[in-house]
Structure formats: structure tokens, C-alpha cells
Amino acid sequence: MLGRSQLPHALPKRCNIVRITLMNSFVIKGGKPLKGEVSIQGAKNAALPILAATLLTNQECVIERVPRIEDIKRMLELLRSLGAEAELVGQAGESGGNTVRVRAEQVDPAKLDQEIVGRFRASALVIGALIGRTKGVMELAAPGGCQIGARSLSTHMNAFRELGVKVEKSETRVGQGEKSM
């Protein structure tokens, strides 16, 4: 940690000093104790698979602490396109404002909005739930929207094959699966 004498001269003498050691700890030194409350949202990468899993039941699902971000809004759009009732309840910042309610009583994979799939990488998460729920054939556009670059869905497709799902791939579609019973 830098001592006060090693800090740039532009810093005031009463500034707070934060030391970060490879994400192991944060040491904050300041003139006042911290007080108050902070609401912590859930993580996107935890919420998206949970939202996709709501397709496995026709019962109402209530998920709390869901982050209010674009990917969550897209997943809710995708669920609605399949026939599910899906809504983010309450206003941001209020108690319960990050709660999602989903009821997927009537799910029809043929109604899957392929435009959303084509611009939303996490749409791949609904494949397993739809195959499990419908026990039939489904087809979807290649999931898009990835700013990181090309990322293969082969892990997902190989898992489906291991579970007895016939997976076919075309130029514009990820697959058409039919579960062998």
C-alpha cells in the first residue's frame, strides 16, 4: 500500500484511500463510518437460466431479485412469444421492484419469435426446457447478439444428443430436435 507521502501531490490530505489486492479484499480507510442499506440484485447469468426453466411447469413462478437489464427484458419477451404470461412486477427501486412472475400454461414452440432468438444469445437456454415440456419437434434460428464473438453451442447440442434428442443443423437454424421415447 502506498503511504501518504508516496501519493501524487494533487490528492487532498483527507482523501479516502482504497487498496485492492487481486480481488481478495478491499481495504477502505476514510474519515467517516459507512451507514445505510444497499439492495443487491441477482446476477444475470443466474436469472436467465431460471427464467428459461419456468417453461417446464404450468404453475406460476415468482423469481425475486432479478436485475432490471436488457437481457432480462428480452428473455421475458421470448417467454411471452411462446405464450407464457411474463412480467416484471413493481417499479425499480421499490420493495419487490425486481420480482418477475411467469406462468407458462400454454406454451407453443411454433410461436417462438425467431427475430428475438436471432438477436439474443441467451435464447439458447430455452431449448432444453421446450424439448422437455413439449416432447416433440422444435426449430429455432441461430441465437445471436453475442458481442464477444463466435461462441459454439456444441456443448448444448452434445448434451441433447446424449439425452436422446435428434439434433440437426442447417445454415440458418441451430437444430430441430425430436426426443426419442
Side-chain angles (χ1 to χ4, degrees):
M1 184 167 105
L2 295 174
R4 191 166 290 284
S5 62
Q6 297 170 302
L7 292 174
H9 295 293
L11 293 174
K13 290 190 178 203
R14 291 191 46 98
C15 74
N16 293 337
I17 299 171
V18 177
R19 178 182 68 185
I20 302 173
T21 309
L22 298 176
M23 299 302 286
N24 291 330
S25 65
F26 293 103
V27 178
I28 301 171
K29 294 184 178 183
K32 297 181 179 180
L34 299 175
K35 295 180 183 176
E37 295 180 14
V38 177
S39 295
I40 306 299
Q41 294 186 59
K44 171 188 88 165
N45 289 339
L48 290 171
I50 292 169
L51 290 171
T54 63
L55 293 171
L56 292 169
T57 181
N58 60 4
Q59 301 294 308
E60 181 177 82
C61 299
V62 178
I63 302 102
E64 297 177 340
R65 299 176 112 176
V66 177
R68 285 181 173 262
I69 58 172
E70 190 62 32
D71 281 357
I72 298 299
K73 291 175 187 173
R74 282 190 187 154
M75 181 60 85
L76 296 178
E77 273 184 79
L78 194 66
L79 296 175
R80 284 191 290 269
S81 81
L82 290 162
E85 297 171 25
E87 64 177 332
L88 193 52
V89 182
Q91 298 298 315
E94 70 180 29
S95 179
N98 288 22
T99 298
V100 171
R101 293 184 187 278
V102 179
R103 181 181 293 269
E105 278 187 84
Q106 304 295 321
V107 175
D108 183 357
K111 293 182 178 179
L112 182 64
D113 187 330
Q114 299 297 335
E115 184 182 322
I116 296 172
V117 173
R119 61 183 163 91
F120 182 44
R121 183 71 184 173
S123 61
L125 296 171
V126 303
I127 300 170
L130 287 173
I131 292 171
R133 174 83 181 259
T134 63
K135 297 177 178 64
V137 176
M138 68 156 301
E139 187 173 339
L140 86 150
C146 183
Q147 301 300 316
I148 296 172
R151 289 187 287 164
S152 174
L153 293 173
S154 61
T155 304
H156 295 275
M157 298 305 125
N158 289 337
F160 295 139
R161 286 184 188 101
E162 290 290 321
L163 293 169
V165 176
K166 180 182 174 189
V167 177
E168 297 175 1
K169 187 174 180 181
S170 72
E171 292 299 315
T172 58
R173 304 281 182 201
V174 202
Q176 182 177 40
E178 184 174 336
K179 183 153 182 168
S180 304
M181 296 294 175

Short mmCIF file of all heavy atoms in Angstrom, two decimals, residues 84-152:
data_model
loop_
_atom_site.label_atom_id
_atom_site.label_comp_id
_atom_site.label_asym_id
_atom_site.label_seq_id
_atom_site.Cartn_x
_atom_site.Cartn_y
_atom_site.Cartn_z
N ALA A 84 -46.35 -17.68 -22.80
CA ALA A 84 -46.31 -17.54 -21.34
C ALA A 84 -46.72 -16.12 -20.94
O ALA A 84 -46.53 -15.17 -21.69
CB ALA A 84 -44.90 -17.83 -20.83
N GLU A 85 -47.29 -16.01 -19.76
CA GLU A 85 -47.50 -14.70 -19.14
C GLU A 85 -46.23 -14.41 -18.37
O GLU A 85 -45.84 -15.20 -17.50
CB GLU A 85 -48.70 -14.75 -18.19
CG GLU A 85 -50.02 -15.06 -18.85
CD GLU A 85 -51.12 -15.31 -17.82
OE1 GLU A 85 -51.02 -14.79 -16.69
OE2 GLU A 85 -52.06 -16.04 -18.16
N ALA A 86 -45.57 -13.31 -18.68
CA ALA A 86 -44.30 -12.99 -18.03
C ALA A 86 -44.22 -11.49 -17.81
O ALA A 86 -44.38 -10.72 -18.75
CB ALA A 86 -43.13 -13.46 -18.90
N GLU A 87 -43.99 -11.10 -16.55
CA GLU A 87 -43.93 -9.67 -16.26
C GLU A 87 -42.95 -9.37 -15.14
O GLU A 87 -42.75 -10.16 -14.24
CB GLU A 87 -45.31 -9.13 -15.89
CG GLU A 87 -45.88 -9.72 -14.61
CD GLU A 87 -47.22 -9.13 -14.21
OE1 GLU A 87 -47.48 -7.96 -14.56
OE2 GLU A 87 -47.98 -9.83 -13.55
N LEU A 88 -42.35 -8.19 -15.25
CA LEU A 88 -41.51 -7.65 -14.19
C LEU A 88 -42.44 -6.80 -13.34
O LEU A 88 -43.07 -5.87 -13.84
CB LEU A 88 -40.40 -6.80 -14.82
CG LEU A 88 -39.24 -6.36 -13.97
CD1 LEU A 88 -38.59 -7.53 -13.24
CD2 LEU A 88 -38.21 -5.65 -14.82
N VAL A 89 -42.58 -7.16 -12.07
CA VAL A 89 -43.57 -6.54 -11.19
C VAL A 89 -42.95 -5.39 -10.41
O VAL A 89 -41.82 -5.47 -9.96
CB VAL A 89 -44.12 -7.60 -10.19
CG1 VAL A 89 -45.17 -7.01 -9.30
CG2 VAL A 89 -44.66 -8.80 -10.93
N GLY A 90 -43.72 -4.32 -10.21
CA GLY A 90 -43.29 -3.20 -9.39
C GLY A 90 -42.38 -2.24 -10.13
O GLY A 90 -42.05 -2.44 -11.29
N GLN A 91 -41.97 -1.21 -9.43
CA GLN A 91 -41.11 -0.17 -10.00
C GLN A 91 -39.68 -0.35 -9.50
O GLN A 91 -39.48 -0.80 -8.37
CB GLN A 91 -41.62 1.22 -9.58
CG GLN A 91 -43.02 1.54 -10.07
CD GLN A 91 -43.11 1.57 -11.59
OE1 GLN A 91 -42.26 2.14 -12.25
NE2 GLN A 91 -44.13 0.92 -12.13
N ALA A 92 -38.74 0.01 -10.32
CA ALA A 92 -37.33 -0.07 -9.92
C ALA A 92 -37.12 0.74 -8.65
O ALA A 92 -37.65 1.83 -8.51
CB ALA A 92 -36.43 0.45 -11.04
N GLY A 93 -36.36 0.19 -7.72
CA GLY A 93 -36.04 0.91 -6.50
C GLY A 93 -37.00 0.66 -5.36
O GLY A 93 -36.67 0.91 -4.21
N GLU A 94 -38.21 0.18 -5.63
CA GLU A 94 -39.14 -0.08 -4.54
C GLU A 94 -39.05 -1.54 -4.10
O GLU A 94 -38.54 -2.38 -4.83
CB GLU A 94 -40.59 0.27 -4.95
CG GLU A 94 -41.20 -0.66 -5.96
CD GLU A 94 -42.62 -0.27 -6.34
OE1 GLU A 94 -42.96 0.92 -6.30
OE2 GLU A 94 -43.38 -1.18 -6.68
N SER A 95 -39.52 -1.80 -2.92
CA SER A 95 -39.51 -3.16 -2.40
C SER A 95 -40.29 -4.07 -3.34
O SER A 95 -41.42 -3.77 -3.71
CB SER A 95 -40.13 -3.19 -1.00
OG SER A 95 -40.15 -4.50 -0.51
N GLY A 96 -39.70 -5.17 -3.76
CA GLY A 96 -40.36 -6.07 -4.69
C GLY A 96 -40.27 -5.62 -6.13
O GLY A 96 -40.86 -6.24 -7.01
N GLY A 97 -39.56 -4.54 -6.39
CA GLY A 97 -39.46 -3.99 -7.74
C GLY A 97 -38.65 -4.81 -8.71
O GLY A 97 -38.64 -4.54 -9.89
N ASN A 98 -37.95 -5.81 -8.23
CA ASN A 98 -37.15 -6.67 -9.10
C ASN A 98 -37.68 -8.10 -9.05
O ASN A 98 -36.93 -9.05 -9.03
CB ASN A 98 -35.69 -6.63 -8.69
CG ASN A 98 -35.05 -5.31 -9.05
OD1 ASN A 98 -35.72 -4.30 -9.21
ND2 ASN A 98 -33.75 -5.30 -9.18
N THR A 99 -39.01 -8.22 -9.03
CA THR A 99 -39.65 -9.52 -8.99
C THR A 99 -40.25 -9.82 -10.35
O THR A 99 -40.86 -8.96 -10.98
CB THR A 99 -40.77 -9.52 -7.91
OG1 THR A 99 -40.16 -9.27 -6.64
CG2 THR A 99 -41.50 -10.84 -7.87
N VAL A 100 -40.08 -11.05 -10.81
CA VAL A 100 -40.64 -11.49 -12.08
C VAL A 100 -41.66 -12.59 -11.80
O VAL A 100 -41.41 -13.47 -10.98
CB VAL A 100 -39.54 -12.03 -13.02
CG1 VAL A 100 -40.14 -12.69 -14.25
CG2 VAL A 100 -38.61 -10.91 -13.44
N ARG A 101 -42.80 -12.50 -12.46
CA ARG A 101 -43.83 -13.53 -12.39
C ARG A 101 -43.98 -14.14 -13.78
O ARG A 101 -44.13 -13.42 -14.75
CB ARG A 101 -45.16 -12.95 -11.95
CG ARG A 101 -45.18 -12.45 -10.53
CD ARG A 101 -46.60 -11.97 -10.16
NE ARG A 101 -46.61 -11.34 -8.88
CZ ARG A 101 -46.66 -11.98 -7.71
NH1 ARG A 101 -46.70 -13.28 -7.69
NH2 ARG A 101 -46.66 -11.32 -6.58
N VAL A 102 -43.94 -15.48 -13.82
CA VAL A 102 -44.11 -16.19 -15.09
C VAL A 102 -45.11 -17.33 -14.88
O VAL A 102 -45.02 -18.07 -13.90
CB VAL A 102 -42.78 -16.78 -15.60
CG1 VAL A 102 -42.98 -17.55 -16.91
CG2 VAL A 102 -41.73 -15.69 -15.77
N ARG A 103 -46.07 -17.43 -15.80
CA ARG A 103 -46.98 -18.57 -15.83
C ARG A 103 -46.99 -19.06 -17.28
O ARG A 103 -47.44 -18.36 -18.16
CB ARG A 103 -48.39 -18.22 -15.39
CG ARG A 103 -49.31 -19.45 -15.41
CD ARG A 103 -50.73 -19.12 -14.99
NE ARG A 103 -50.82 -18.73 -13.61
CZ ARG A 103 -51.06 -19.57 -12.60
NH1 ARG A 103 -51.22 -20.84 -12.83
NH2 ARG A 103 -51.15 -19.11 -11.37
N ALA A 104 -46.48 -20.26 -17.48
CA ALA A 104 -46.35 -20.83 -18.82
C ALA A 104 -47.36 -21.96 -19.00
O ALA A 104 -46.99 -23.10 -19.25
CB ALA A 104 -44.93 -21.31 -19.06
N GLU A 105 -48.64 -21.62 -18.87
CA GLU A 105 -49.69 -22.64 -19.04
C GLU A 105 -49.76 -23.14 -20.47
O GLU A 105 -49.79 -24.34 -20.71
CB GLU A 105 -51.05 -22.07 -18.63
CG GLU A 105 -51.28 -22.10 -17.14
CD GLU A 105 -52.70 -21.70 -16.81
OE1 GLU A 105 -53.59 -22.57 -16.86
OE2 GLU A 105 -52.91 -20.51 -16.51
N GLN A 106 -49.85 -22.24 -21.40
CA GLN A 106 -49.98 -22.57 -22.82
C GLN A 106 -48.68 -22.21 -23.53
O GLN A 106 -48.44 -21.05 -23.79
CB GLN A 106 -51.14 -21.81 -23.46
CG GLN A 106 -52.48 -22.01 -22.78
CD GLN A 106 -52.96 -23.45 -22.91
OE1 GLN A 106 -52.80 -24.09 -23.94
NE2 GLN A 106 -53.54 -23.98 -21.84
N VAL A 107 -47.85 -23.20 -23.81
CA VAL A 107 -46.57 -22.95 -24.48
C VAL A 107 -46.61 -23.60 -25.86
O VAL A 107 -46.94 -24.78 -25.99
CB VAL A 107 -45.40 -23.53 -23.64
CG1 VAL A 107 -44.10 -23.39 -24.38
CG2 VAL A 107 -45.32 -22.84 -22.30
N ASP A 108 -46.28 -22.82 -26.87
CA ASP A 108 -46.27 -23.33 -28.24
C ASP A 108 -44.94 -22.96 -28.91
O ASP A 108 -44.74 -21.81 -29.31
CB ASP A 108 -47.44 -22.72 -29.02
CG ASP A 108 -47.54 -23.27 -30.44
OD1 ASP A 108 -46.67 -24.08 -30.85
OD2 ASP A 108 -48.48 -22.87 -31.14
N PRO A 109 -44.01 -23.94 -29.05
CA PRO A 109 -42.71 -23.65 -29.66
C PRO A 109 -42.82 -23.10 -31.08
O PRO A 109 -41.93 -22.37 -31.52
CB PRO A 109 -42.01 -25.01 -29.67
CG PRO A 109 -42.68 -25.80 -28.62
CD PRO A 109 -44.10 -25.32 -28.58
N ALA A 110 -43.90 -23.39 -31.78
CA ALA A 110 -44.08 -22.86 -33.13
C ALA A 110 -44.23 -21.35 -33.13
O ALA A 110 -43.99 -20.69 -34.14
CB ALA A 110 -45.30 -23.51 -33.80
N LYS A 111 -44.61 -20.77 -32.00
CA LYS A 111 -44.79 -19.32 -31.89
C LYS A 111 -43.52 -18.60 -31.45
O LYS A 111 -43.52 -17.39 -31.32
CB LYS A 111 -45.91 -19.01 -30.90
CG LYS A 111 -47.28 -19.44 -31.38
CD LYS A 111 -48.33 -19.05 -30.37
CE LYS A 111 -49.72 -19.43 -30.86
NZ LYS A 111 -50.74 -19.07 -29.88
N LEU A 112 -42.45 -19.35 -31.22
CA LEU A 112 -41.19 -18.74 -30.78
C LEU A 112 -40.77 -17.64 -31.75
O LEU A 112 -40.67 -17.86 -32.95
CB LEU A 112 -40.10 -19.82 -30.71
CG LEU A 112 -38.73 -19.39 -30.21
CD1 LEU A 112 -38.81 -18.94 -28.75
CD2 LEU A 112 -37.75 -20.53 -30.34
N ASP A 113 -40.57 -16.44 -31.23
CA ASP A 113 -40.21 -15.28 -32.05
C ASP A 113 -38.76 -15.43 -32.50
O ASP A 113 -37.82 -15.17 -31.74
CB ASP A 113 -40.41 -13.99 -31.25
CG ASP A 113 -40.22 -12.74 -32.08
OD1 ASP A 113 -39.42 -12.76 -33.04
OD2 ASP A 113 -40.87 -11.74 -31.75
N GLN A 114 -38.58 -15.85 -33.76
CA GLN A 114 -37.24 -16.11 -34.29
C GLN A 114 -36.41 -14.84 -34.40
O GLN A 114 -35.18 -14.90 -34.36
CB GLN A 114 -37.36 -16.80 -35.66
CG GLN A 114 -38.08 -18.14 -35.61
CD GLN A 114 -37.37 -19.20 -34.77
OE1 GLN A 114 -36.16 -19.17 -34.57
NE2 GLN A 114 -38.14 -20.15 -34.27
N GLU A 115 -37.05 -13.69 -34.51
CA GLU A 115 -36.31 -12.43 -34.56
C GLU A 115 -35.60 -12.18 -33.22
O GLU A 115 -34.44 -11.77 -33.18
CB GLU A 115 -37.25 -11.26 -34.87
CG GLU A 115 -36.51 -9.95 -35.03
CD GLU A 115 -37.45 -8.79 -35.30
OE1 GLU A 115 -38.43 -8.97 -36.02
OE2 GLU A 115 -37.16 -7.69 -34.76
N ILE A 116 -36.31 -12.44 -32.11
CA ILE A 116 -35.68 -12.28 -30.79
C ILE A 116 -34.54 -13.28 -30.65
O ILE A 116 -33.45 -12.93 -30.19
CB ILE A 116 -36.71 -12.47 -29.65
CG1 ILE A 116 -37.79 -11.40 -29.71
CG2 ILE A 116 -36.01 -12.44 -28.29
CD1 ILE A 116 -38.95 -11.63 -28.75
N VAL A 117 -34.77 -14.52 -31.06
CA VAL A 117 -33.73 -15.55 -30.98
C VAL A 117 -32.49 -15.09 -31.75
O VAL A 117 -31.37 -15.22 -31.26
CB VAL A 117 -34.24 -16.90 -31.54
CG1 VAL A 117 -33.10 -17.91 -31.64
CG2 VAL A 117 -35.37 -17.45 -30.68
N GLY A 118 -32.69 -14.52 -32.93
CA GLY A 118 -31.58 -14.10 -33.77
C GLY A 118 -30.75 -12.96 -33.22
O GLY A 118 -29.62 -12.74 -33.65
N ARG A 119 -31.29 -12.23 -32.24
CA ARG A 119 -30.51 -11.11 -31.67
C ARG A 119 -30.22 -11.29 -30.18
O ARG A 119 -29.78 -10.37 -29.52
CB ARG A 119 -31.23 -9.79 -31.93
CG ARG A 119 -32.59 -9.65 -31.35
CD ARG A 119 -33.24 -8.30 -31.75
NE ARG A 119 -34.65 -8.30 -31.53
CZ ARG A 119 -35.25 -7.92 -30.41
NH1 ARG A 119 -34.54 -7.47 -29.41
NH2 ARG A 119 -36.55 -7.97 -30.30
N PHE A 120 -30.47 -12.51 -29.66
CA PHE A 120 -30.35 -12.73 -28.22
C PHE A 120 -29.66 -14.05 -27.94
O PHE A 120 -30.24 -15.12 -28.11
CB PHE A 120 -31.76 -12.69 -27.62
CG PHE A 120 -31.83 -12.85 -26.13
CD1 PHE A 120 -30.97 -12.19 -25.28
CD2 PHE A 120 -32.81 -13.66 -25.57
CE1 PHE A 120 -31.06 -12.34 -23.91
CE2 PHE A 120 -32.91 -13.82 -24.21
CZ PHE A 120 -32.03 -13.16 -23.38
N ARG A 121 -28.42 -14.01 -27.52
CA ARG A 121 -27.61 -15.21 -27.29
C ARG A 121 -28.22 -16.17 -26.27
O ARG A 121 -28.22 -17.38 -26.44
CB ARG A 121 -26.21 -14.78 -26.83
CG ARG A 121 -25.25 -15.91 -26.63
CD ARG A 121 -24.86 -16.47 -27.93
NE ARG A 121 -24.01 -17.62 -27.75
CZ ARG A 121 -23.64 -18.39 -28.72
NH1 ARG A 121 -24.02 -18.14 -29.94
NH2 ARG A 121 -22.89 -19.42 -28.52
N ALA A 122 -28.78 -15.64 -25.20
CA ALA A 122 -29.31 -16.48 -24.12
C ALA A 122 -30.59 -17.21 -24.52
O ALA A 122 -31.09 -18.04 -23.77
CB ALA A 122 -29.56 -15.65 -22.87
N SER A 123 -31.10 -16.96 -25.73
CA SER A 123 -32.29 -17.69 -26.18
C SER A 123 -32.01 -19.19 -26.27
O SER A 123 -32.94 -20.00 -26.19
CB SER A 123 -32.78 -17.15 -27.52
OG SER A 123 -31.79 -17.30 -28.51
N ALA A 124 -30.75 -19.56 -26.40
CA ALA A 124 -30.39 -20.99 -26.43
C ALA A 124 -30.81 -21.70 -25.14
O ALA A 124 -31.01 -22.91 -25.13
CB ALA A 124 -28.88 -21.14 -26.64
N LEU A 125 -30.97 -20.94 -24.06
CA LEU A 125 -31.34 -21.54 -22.78
C LEU A 125 -32.74 -22.14 -22.77
O LEU A 125 -33.04 -23.00 -21.95
CB LEU A 125 -31.23 -20.49 -21.66
CG LEU A 125 -29.83 -19.95 -21.40
CD1 LEU A 125 -29.89 -18.77 -20.42
CD2 LEU A 125 -28.92 -21.04 -20.87
N VAL A 126 -33.61 -21.70 -23.68
CA VAL A 126 -34.98 -22.24 -23.68
C VAL A 126 -35.10 -23.56 -24.43
O VAL A 126 -36.11 -24.25 -24.31
CB VAL A 126 -36.01 -21.22 -24.25
CG1 VAL A 126 -35.99 -19.92 -23.46
CG2 VAL A 126 -35.83 -20.99 -25.72
N ILE A 127 -34.08 -23.94 -25.18
CA ILE A 127 -34.16 -25.15 -26.00
C ILE A 127 -34.47 -26.38 -25.14
O ILE A 127 -35.41 -27.12 -25.42
CB ILE A 127 -32.86 -25.39 -26.80
CG1 ILE A 127 -32.59 -24.22 -27.73
CG2 ILE A 127 -32.95 -26.69 -27.59
CD1 ILE A 127 -31.20 -24.28 -28.37
N GLY A 128 -33.68 -26.60 -24.12
CA GLY A 128 -33.88 -27.78 -23.27
C GLY A 128 -35.24 -27.81 -22.61
O GLY A 128 -35.91 -28.84 -22.57
N ALA A 129 -35.66 -26.65 -22.10
CA ALA A 129 -36.96 -26.58 -21.43
C ALA A 129 -38.09 -26.87 -22.42
O ALA A 129 -39.05 -27.57 -22.09
CB ALA A 129 -37.16 -25.21 -20.79
N LEU A 130 -37.98 -26.35 -23.63
CA LEU A 130 -39.03 -26.58 -24.63
C LEU A 130 -39.07 -28.05 -25.07
O LEU A 130 -40.15 -28.62 -25.22
CB LEU A 130 -38.83 -25.68 -25.84
CG LEU A 130 -39.17 -24.22 -25.61
CD1 LEU A 130 -38.79 -23.38 -26.81
CD2 LEU A 130 -40.65 -24.05 -25.28
N ILE A 131 -37.91 -28.65 -25.26
CA ILE A 131 -37.89 -30.07 -25.63
C ILE A 131 -38.48 -30.91 -24.49
O ILE A 131 -39.28 -31.81 -24.72
CB ILE A 131 -36.46 -30.54 -25.98
CG1 ILE A 131 -36.00 -29.87 -27.28
CG2 ILE A 131 -36.40 -32.05 -26.11
CD1 ILE A 131 -34.54 -30.08 -27.60
N GLY A 132 -38.11 -30.57 -23.25
CA GLY A 132 -38.65 -31.29 -22.10
C GLY A 132 -40.14 -31.11 -21.93
O GLY A 132 -40.86 -32.05 -21.59
N ARG A 133 -40.62 -29.93 -22.18
CA ARG A 133 -42.04 -29.62 -21.98
C ARG A 133 -42.92 -30.18 -23.08
O ARG A 133 -43.99 -30.71 -22.83
CB ARG A 133 -42.21 -28.09 -21.89
CG ARG A 133 -43.62 -27.57 -21.83
CD ARG A 133 -44.18 -27.61 -20.41
NE ARG A 133 -45.54 -27.15 -20.35
CZ ARG A 133 -45.92 -25.94 -19.95
NH1 ARG A 133 -45.02 -25.06 -19.57
NH2 ARG A 133 -47.19 -25.62 -19.92
N THR A 134 -42.46 -30.06 -24.33
CA THR A 134 -43.31 -30.45 -25.45
C THR A 134 -43.08 -31.88 -25.93
O THR A 134 -43.92 -32.43 -26.62
CB THR A 134 -43.08 -29.50 -26.65
OG1 THR A 134 -41.72 -29.62 -27.08
CG2 THR A 134 -43.38 -28.07 -26.27
N LYS A 135 -41.95 -32.46 -25.59
CA LYS A 135 -41.59 -33.81 -26.01
C LYS A 135 -41.79 -34.00 -27.51
O LYS A 135 -42.22 -35.04 -27.97
CB LYS A 135 -42.40 -34.84 -25.23
CG LYS A 135 -42.12 -34.82 -23.75
CD LYS A 135 -42.99 -35.82 -23.03
CE LYS A 135 -42.72 -35.87 -21.56
NZ LYS A 135 -43.01 -34.68 -20.83
N GLY A 136 -41.49 -32.96 -28.25
CA GLY A 136 -41.72 -33.03 -29.69
C GLY A 136 -40.64 -32.35 -30.48
O GLY A 136 -39.49 -32.28 -30.05
N VAL A 137 -41.03 -31.84 -31.62
CA VAL A 137 -40.10 -31.22 -32.55
C VAL A 137 -40.11 -29.71 -32.34
O VAL A 137 -41.15 -29.11 -32.11
CB VAL A 137 -40.52 -31.53 -34.00
CG1 VAL A 137 -39.62 -30.81 -34.99
CG2 VAL A 137 -40.49 -33.03 -34.24
N MET A 138 -38.95 -29.12 -32.40
CA MET A 138 -38.84 -27.66 -32.35
C MET A 138 -37.70 -27.21 -33.23
O MET A 138 -36.80 -27.98 -33.52
CB MET A 138 -38.66 -27.16 -30.92
CG MET A 138 -37.35 -27.52 -30.30
SD MET A 138 -36.87 -26.42 -28.98
CE MET A 138 -36.83 -24.87 -29.79
N GLU A 139 -37.79 -26.00 -33.66
CA GLU A 139 -36.78 -25.43 -34.53
C GLU A 139 -36.55 -23.99 -34.11
O GLU A 139 -37.50 -23.29 -33.76
CB GLU A 139 -37.28 -25.48 -35.97
CG GLU A 139 -36.26 -25.07 -36.99
CD GLU A 139 -36.75 -25.32 -38.41
OE1 GLU A 139 -37.67 -26.13 -38.61
OE2 GLU A 139 -36.20 -24.66 -39.30
N LEU A 140 -35.29 -23.56 -34.13
CA LEU A 140 -35.05 -22.16 -33.84
C LEU A 140 -33.88 -21.62 -34.61
O LEU A 140 -33.01 -22.37 -35.02
CB LEU A 140 -34.88 -21.92 -32.33
CG LEU A 140 -33.54 -22.09 -31.67
CD1 LEU A 140 -33.51 -21.14 -30.50
CD2 LEU A 140 -33.35 -23.49 -31.15
N ALA A 141 -33.94 -20.31 -34.84
CA ALA A 141 -32.86 -19.62 -35.54
C ALA A 141 -31.59 -19.69 -34.71
O ALA A 141 -31.65 -19.90 -33.49
CB ALA A 141 -33.26 -18.16 -35.79
N ALA A 142 -30.46 -19.51 -35.35
CA ALA A 142 -29.20 -19.47 -34.62
C ALA A 142 -29.23 -18.29 -33.66
O ALA A 142 -29.46 -17.16 -34.08
CB ALA A 142 -28.04 -19.35 -35.58
N PRO A 143 -29.03 -18.54 -32.36
CA PRO A 143 -29.02 -17.42 -31.40
C PRO A 143 -27.94 -16.42 -31.76
O PRO A 143 -26.84 -16.78 -32.14
CB PRO A 143 -28.73 -18.10 -30.06
CG PRO A 143 -29.19 -19.50 -30.24
CD PRO A 143 -28.89 -19.82 -31.68
N GLY A 144 -28.27 -15.15 -31.65
CA GLY A 144 -27.31 -14.10 -32.00
C GLY A 144 -27.09 -13.17 -30.84
O GLY A 144 -27.32 -13.52 -29.68
N GLY A 145 -26.65 -11.97 -31.16
CA GLY A 145 -26.48 -10.94 -30.15
C GLY A 145 -25.21 -11.01 -29.36
O GLY A 145 -25.04 -10.27 -28.41
N CYS A 146 -24.28 -11.87 -29.74
CA CYS A 146 -23.05 -12.00 -28.96
C CYS A 146 -22.02 -10.98 -29.39
O CYS A 146 -21.56 -10.98 -30.52
CB CYS A 146 -22.48 -13.41 -29.10
SG CYS A 146 -21.03 -13.66 -28.09
N GLN A 147 -21.65 -10.08 -28.48
CA GLN A 147 -20.65 -9.07 -28.78
C GLN A 147 -19.24 -9.59 -28.56
O GLN A 147 -18.27 -8.97 -28.97
CB GLN A 147 -20.88 -7.83 -27.89
CG GLN A 147 -22.24 -7.21 -28.05
CD GLN A 147 -22.50 -6.73 -29.46
OE1 GLN A 147 -21.65 -6.13 -30.08
NE2 GLN A 147 -23.68 -7.03 -29.98
N ILE A 148 -19.12 -10.73 -27.90
CA ILE A 148 -17.79 -11.29 -27.60
C ILE A 148 -17.19 -11.93 -28.84
O ILE A 148 -16.01 -11.93 -29.05
CB ILE A 148 -17.89 -12.33 -26.45
CG1 ILE A 148 -18.33 -11.63 -25.18
CG2 ILE A 148 -16.58 -13.06 -26.26
CD1 ILE A 148 -18.64 -12.55 -24.04
N GLY A 149 -18.02 -12.48 -29.69
CA GLY A 149 -17.56 -13.18 -30.89
C GLY A 149 -18.25 -14.52 -30.98
O GLY A 149 -19.17 -14.81 -30.21
N ALA A 150 -17.81 -15.33 -31.90
CA ALA A 150 -18.43 -16.63 -32.11
C ALA A 150 -18.23 -17.53 -30.89
O ALA A 150 -17.11 -17.70 -30.42
CB ALA A 150 -17.85 -17.29 -33.35
N ARG A 151 -19.32 -18.03 -30.38
CA ARG A 151 -19.25 -19.00 -29.28
C ARG A 151 -20.14 -20.17 -29.66
O ARG A 151 -21.30 -20.00 -29.99
CB ARG A 151 -19.74 -18.38 -27.96
CG ARG A 151 -18.75 -17.37 -27.42
CD ARG A 151 -19.14 -16.90 -26.06
NE ARG A 151 -20.29 -16.00 -26.16
CZ ARG A 151 -21.05 -15.65 -25.14
NH1 ARG A 151 -20.81 -16.12 -23.94
NH2 ARG A 151 -22.07 -14.83 -25.31
N SER A 152 -19.58 -21.32 -29.61
CA SER A 152 -20.26 -22.52 -30.07
C SER A 152 -21.36 -22.96 -29.12
O SER A 152 -21.26 -22.81 -27.91
CB SER A 152 -19.23 -23.65 -30.21
OG SER A 152 -19.86 -24.84 -30.54
#
